[in-house]
Amino acid sequence: MADSADYKFMELALSLAEKGRGKTKPNPMVGAVLVKNGKIIGQGYHRAVGKDHAEIAALKDAQRQAKGATLYVNLEPCCHSGRTGPCTKAIINAKISKVVLAKKDPNPLVNGKGIAQLRKSGVKVVGNSCQRSRFIERFLLRFL
């Protein structure tokens, strides 16, 4: 079950994702927030096709502080290579301890595989925990 901090940070991730509107197709709009000890240490969003995904932008923003942090992201991190590398690999390498995501990625190349990869590497993943928020539900419909 998500707590009020989860909603707050997920709402920020969704607000960041909105900044990519009209620039990310065919990819979805995604925002990410890194939090450590209750404080935001990094944030990012997918700015355009072929550019860093939101998770990578947030990791770059946090730099070395990312180890042990919680990542809030509105969509399951990708686990395949395309125009960019897999976000799951970067999350694992940064030693993120927990990922809170609003929705599993329906893309057949991901669709639960990103979650499985993270969990296999010891990252705690909380999925769909914030979807009960009407704010989250309303925004998710616009991102996919």
Side-chain angles (χ1 to χ4, degrees):
M1 184 79 175
D3 63 26
S4 61
D6 286 341
Y7 289 119
K8 178 179 101 174
F9 295 128
M10 189 61 71
E11 287 178 2
L12 176 56
L14 285 163
S15 295
L16 289 166
E18 182 70 34
K19 292 180 175 189
R21 181 166 298 286
K23 302 171 193 159
T24 64
K25 286 202 178 219
N27 298 333
M29 294 181 291
V30 180
V33 178
L34 274 167
V35 176
K36 193 170 188 179
N37 300 321
K39 295 183 181 178
I40 296 169
I41 59 166
Q43 50 190 308
Y45 66 98
H46 187 195
R47 294 177 182 271
V49 173
K51 300 291 183 190
D52 287 340
H53 287 183
E55 301 91 329
I56 304 305
L59 287 167
K60 286 181 177 178
D61 189 37
Q63 298 176 356
R64 294 183 199 156
Q65 298 178 74
K67 183 178 179 183
T70 296
L71 173 69
Y72 291 85
V73 62
N74 63 296
L75 190 66
E76 175 183 7
C78 70
C79 55
H80 65 284
S81 292
R83 292 180 193 97
T84 63
C87 291
T88 51
K89 183 177 178 181
I91 292 165
I92 293 163
N93 288 343
K95 301 189 183 332
I96 299 300
S97 62
K98 180 179 174 183
V99 174
V100 178
L101 57 95
K103 183 165 180 55
K104 188 167 84 169
D105 191 336
N107 178 339
L109 294 173
V110 184
N111 199 3
K113 296 175 192 136
I115 294 169
Q117 209 173 75
L118 292 169
R119 286 183 174 153
K120 184 177 178 182
S121 294
V123 178
K124 181 178 180 180
V125 180
V126 179
N128 300 322
S129 63
C130 295
Q131 263 186 289
R132 294 182 187 159
S133 163
R134 288 185 188 180
F135 177 91
I136 301 294
E137 289 173 359
R138 188 174 66 239
F139 273 81
L140 282 175
L141 292 174
R142 294 169 44 198
F143 291 109
L144 297 174

